[in-house]
Amino acid sequence: MPETSTPRKRASRRGEIVESFTRMVAENGYDAVAIRDLAEDLGMSKGTVLHHFGSKDRLLEEVHSTYMRRRLDEIALILAELDGPQRRLKAMVFQNLIAMQQDADATRAFAREIVRFSREDLMNDVRAMRREYFDTLRGILDEGMEQGAFRRADTTIVALQLFGMMNWTWTWFDPAGEVSVESIARTFLDTVLHGLDSGAEPATAGDAELVELVRSTIASVAEREAAAAAPAKA
């Protein structure tokens, strides 16, 4: 049957291209990935790849936009289940680091090429989603400061501090190592919420339910995407 026989089949082939491209960029970087190599990896023609996306730039935009839509869908579902800025902040940190582990290729492909087209018109939608995600974290910080749960500080700088820690964790995190993503998240949260004050109480007691909420939500969003992209059964 031809590749373009049904809309569902087209969506499936498009998804396969994105998945393979994401993996290759994660492993080798954008510059090292050629459309020819991608086509060979998928067992299709170069023309088929270009038919779906037109250019390698467009493929990278798809990777970035898919990644950000996924994270926005997850955090909307997670925060809808939680009250209080502290629990919401904890959940957002757990989401970032657990997604880094469970959505590893997409995280690496997104993070290592995040600056490449940061000012290009092609990435306008991606920039808007990044701003939305950033504003979600900043809103949590604002809420906490208004309620007195967090001490007053510049929320933009604090949000940048948090993302600066989380966005580069993929460069040194060892999935097979002894330190889990939950432990890393707890360390980040303790040092952000309490600094290095030796008399502060641990900030992460009783967070097992937050970890489970984040993991189940990430899995649910991934399953929903897979179901939407699956070819229609005969």
Side-chain angles (χ1 to χ4, degrees):
M1 183 178 293
E3 291 178 352
T4 58
S5 58
T6 68
R8 296 287 288 179
K9 187 63 175 179
R10 283 197 297 272
S12 176
R13 293 304 275 166
R14 185 181 177 90
E16 289 174 12
I17 293 168
V18 172
E19 182 178 358
S20 181
F21 181 74
T22 300
R23 173 178 51 78
M24 295 173 78
V25 172
E27 292 174 354
N28 303 305
Y30 176 85
D31 288 332
V33 180
I35 294 294
R36 178 187 63 256
D37 297 331
L38 176 62
E40 290 178 0
D41 183 66
L42 289 163
M44 64 175 63
S45 70
K46 180 179 175 180
T48 299
V49 176
L50 293 175
H51 168 75
H52 283 283
F53 290 97
S55 69
K56 197 168 76 164
D57 292 359
R58 287 287 179 187
L59 255 170
L60 186 65
E61 189 276 337
E62 180 74 11
V63 170
H64 282 217
S65 61
T66 299
Y67 184 83
M68 283 310 309
R69 280 195 300 271
R70 194 176 294 143
R71 302 290 84 89
L72 286 169
D73 287 348
E74 291 163 0
I75 201 60
L77 292 170
I78 291 166
L79 296 184
E81 297 293 324
L82 300 174
D83 293 318
Q86 288 185 325
R87 284 170 61 78
R88 288 181 163 215
L89 176 62
K90 291 179 183 181
M92 200 161 187
V93 172
F94 279 120
Q95 182 219 9
N96 266 262
L97 296 184
I98 291 172
M100 174 195 69
Q101 181 185 50
Q102 295 192 348
D103 199 9
D105 284 348
T107 297
R108 291 185 177 92
F110 180 84
R112 73 186 301 165
E113 303 295 346
I114 198 170
V115 179
R116 178 173 294 274
F117 297 119
S118 60
R119 298 182 184 277
E120 298 292 331
D121 290 345
L122 179 68
M123 291 290 181
N124 282 342
D125 289 344
V126 175
R127 281 196 294 275
M129 286 187 280
R130 287 179 61 196
R131 283 194 299 271
E132 181 180 350
Y133 193 76
F134 183 88
D135 288 344
T136 298
L137 176 57
R138 190 165 54 184
I140 292 170
L141 295 170
D142 280 330
E143 179 187 9
M145 291 176 195
E146 288 294 328
Q147 294 180 7
F150 307 146
R151 68 178 178 84
R152 288 286 180 180
D154 186 318
T155 54
T156 297
I157 293 176
V158 176
L160 289 169
Q161 175 190 5
L162 283 162
F163 282 125
M165 292 190 304
M166 295 184 293
N167 288 349
W168 291 100
T169 303
W170 69 275
T171 63
W172 52 264
F173 172 67
D174 180 5
E178 296 181 0
V179 181
S180 68
V181 288
E182 290 91 346
S183 294
I184 295 169
R186 289 173 181 128
T187 299
F188 284 177
L189 285 163
D190 273 339
T191 53
V192 167
L193 292 173
H194 296 302
L196 297 177
D197 180 359
S198 62
E201 291 293 326
T204 53
D207 60 23
E209 75 280 7
L210 290 179
V211 173
E212 177 56 31
L213 172 63
V214 169
R215 286 192 176 278
S216 62
T217 302
I218 290 173
S220 175
V221 170
E223 289 171 3
R224 186 175 67 193
E225 284 188 3
K233 294 183 179 179

